[in-house]
Amino acid sequence: MHLAYPAVLAALLFCTGLYGVLARRNAILVLMSVELMLNAVNLNLVAFDVWLRDTLHAGQALTLFTIAIAAAEIGIGLAIVLMVYRNRGTSDVDRLRDTAEGHEPDQNPGNTTSTARPEVAA
């Protein structure tokens, strides 16, 4: 088996995922792009394992661990995105820079008065 074919495919997958992480604004699409990048790494691990003819199949074993980590990452990441969407009403990454509770961005930058909400004593 030629090593160039899966290596080129993995490079294309990784570049597509990297572009998705850097260019997308939706958090779910960013998570999908991270998954593409992980799958490119998995493809490289399996291809090099077959090419090197490792008797322990370490590349395939490491791929299984990577798949398990990716499943946990997507589960936790999706839960965080859903909670942020419920609280903020958007999953746009650019609008989520201020994640501190109770702080809202100033809509009028020339305004010198405070726009923070007063705290309620319990």
Side-chain angles (χ1 to χ4, degrees), residues 12-69:
L12 289 174
L13 277 175
F14 192 85
C15 289
T16 304
L18 186 64
Y19 174 74
V21 167
L22 295 176
R24 298 293 177 185
R25 295 174 190 238
N26 190 349
I28 294 174
L29 292 177
V30 170
L31 287 174
M32 288 174 57
S33 298
V34 169
E35 290 296 319
L36 266 179
M37 291 167 54
L38 285 173
N39 285 329
V41 170
N42 288 338
L43 181 62
N44 268 334
L45 284 172
V46 172
F48 276 100
D49 183 52
V50 170
W51 185 64
L52 293 174
R53 297 185 181 166
D54 186 17
T55 57
L56 295 177
H57 298 293
Q60 293 178 17
L62 191 57
T63 298
L64 289 176
F65 285 118
T66 307
I67 290 171
I69 295 296

